[in-house]
Amino acid sequence: MQRLTKPLVVLCLGASLLTSYAATASVIEKAEQWLNSYSGNDNPFSLTLTKNKIQFKGCKQKQYQLAFSQQFTSQFNLEAVVNYNKGQLDDGVLSQRVRSHEFEVVSWWDRGDYRVGLSHKVRPRHEMRVPIAGAIQLPTSTTAGVYVEVPFNDNSHILTIGALQESWDSDSASATLPWRTSTDNQLTFQYAVAF
């Protein structure tokens, strides 16, 4: 039960830090040190906060991401990610604001030459504001996925292939939609290089 309680405490702590917008790198480091004092050396974890921002005339976008990773065994680790996204397009009458929250949990199995991950992501709060209609609650999105991660060139290059199925339930939308549920199958490729 103690192994389950620690990740839950970290997620709750992380969500409160993420929504306060006042979390700095030093606060994250202190939280990680405090949590490390309760975990042994055999199951290390990491806590990271990332902020991405883009802005130009008529457009502002921000993304906050809080990620927690816990190594349970040499072959199994668990990652939990909380995202907060917001954007604004300002073009007179056509201005709009978008805000969403996402929660994702990925369990990874390390098979030596490659890693396999199972993912579950939920986007429960996705809203759009437009001057004409006010706030529009978009349907809740749920995504299940399988990832295969293959390292190249001494682990500095990583190829990740993902098979995802995203589904929406119209009952959570503020507007009446012509469909009750909808699904979308996706195949993703990501290539990353570490410098």
Side-chain angles (χ1 to χ4, degrees):
M1 184 69 179
Q2 184 181 6
R3 285 185 176 245
L4 184 61
T5 305
K6 280 194 287 185
L8 188 60
V9 167
V10 170
L11 282 175
C12 292
L13 174 68
S16 65
L17 288 175
L18 187 61
T19 56
S20 71
Y21 306 119
T24 61
S26 63
V27 172
I28 297 297
E29 289 170 3
K30 288 178 183 176
E32 188 173 2
Q33 290 171 357
W34 175 75
L35 290 169
N36 271 329
S37 66
Y38 291 102
S39 69
N41 294 332
D42 57 340
N43 54 357
F45 70 91
S46 66
L47 188 64
T48 58
L49 177 66
T50 308
K51 177 184 174 185
N52 296 317
K53 178 181 173 181
I54 185 170
Q55 181 176 350
F56 52 90
K57 184 180 178 186
C59 179
K60 293 180 187 177
Q61 292 181 350
K62 289 183 183 177
Q63 178 188 36
Y64 300 90
Q65 182 183 70
L66 182 68
F68 164 75
S69 179
Q70 173 83 41
Q71 186 81 34
F72 288 100
T73 67
S74 62
Q75 296 180 339
F76 177 74
N77 75 313
L78 186 69
E79 294 177 2
V81 180
V82 178
N83 282 315
Y84 173 76
N85 309 300
K86 70 178 186 176
Q88 177 182 352
L89 293 175
D90 191 9
D91 192 24
V93 178
L94 301 176
S95 66
Q96 64 181 7
R97 295 174 189 256
V98 178
R99 183 180 309 162
S100 70
H101 299 87
E102 298 174 6
F103 306 96
E104 182 176 19
V105 176
V106 184
S107 36
W108 289 98
W109 286 271
D110 192 345
R111 308 303 297 162
D113 295 338
Y114 62 94
R115 289 191 333 153
V116 176
L118 295 176
S119 163
H120 181 74
K121 179 167 65 171
V122 177
R123 185 182 300 161
R125 294 186 59 197
H126 192 171
E127 84 176 20
M128 185 169 51
R129 292 186 177 272
V130 291
I132 298 170
I136 300 170
Q137 296 291 331
L138 299 176
T140 296
S141 165
T142 305
T143 306
V146 177
Y147 296 102
V148 177
E149 188 177 273
V150 182
F152 296 109
N153 200 11
D154 296 329
N155 295 335
S156 61
H157 298 239
I158 297 175
L159 173 67
T160 306
I161 302 168
L164 309 169
Q165 183 178 54
E166 187 172 6
S167 60
W168 296 270
D169 184 1
S170 66
D171 291 341
S172 61
S174 60
T176 304
L177 298 171
W179 43 268
R180 185 178 172 332
T181 60
S182 182
T183 59
D184 180 31
N185 297 321
Q186 305 164 14
L187 188 61
T188 63
F189 295 90
Q190 180 181 2
Y191 186 75
V193 180
F195 294 101

